Amino acid sequence: MMNAQMQTINQKMAVEYLKFFYPTIRNEITQLSKQNNFAGVMQATINYLKDLLLDSKINIIGHHIKLMEFIYKKGNSYVKDMIENLFIRSFESFKKHTKIQYWNDLYNYMPVKFQEIYVEQQRKDEIFFGK
């Protein structure tokens, strides 16, 4: 019997998943990936989620966060770093631009690992920047 373990997701594979997960911005993701701009791809997904936040579509954002968790869990170190440093870091902006109840709902949708990373980022920002 073959080993059914899934291979590690690199940035090219992550882009393919993101194109599938985000059909609304698929063309933008495709264009950025042609330029080898994975950071830009991540930012495009963040911008899309911010637009959903403005429309108070918290459940949909929560769903997309869980999809990003899938990529994170299987991602190589570069993909994980990008998710931590761009995607999870963007949660602070989400918090600033929404009602506290929406933020609480959104936080509850976050996978525990993302919550831990977010809290650690906030703690380090407090230490280093006095935020």
Side-chain angles (χ1 to χ4, degrees), residues 1-2 5 18 21 26 31 35 37 45 54 57 68 73 80 82 89 98 105 107 113 118 120 130:
M1 182 174 256
M2 291 178 53
Q5 282 188 338
L18 292 170
F21 293 160
R26 183 175 294 140
Q31 186 60 39
Q35 300 167 4
N37 187 352
T45 64
L54 293 174
K57 296 183 177 178
M68 192 65 74
K73 281 182 174 180
K80 286 182 178 185
M82 294 300 280
R89 176 90 36 204
T98 194
D105 291 343
Y107 188 82
K113 182 66 176 173
Y118 173 77
E120 182 65 13

Side-chain angles (χ1 to χ4, degrees), residues 52-64:
L52 292 175
L53 184 65
L54 293 174
D55 292 336
S56 303
K57 296 183 177 178
I58 304 304
N59 292 343
I60 296 170
I61 297 168
H63 175 72
H64 282 291

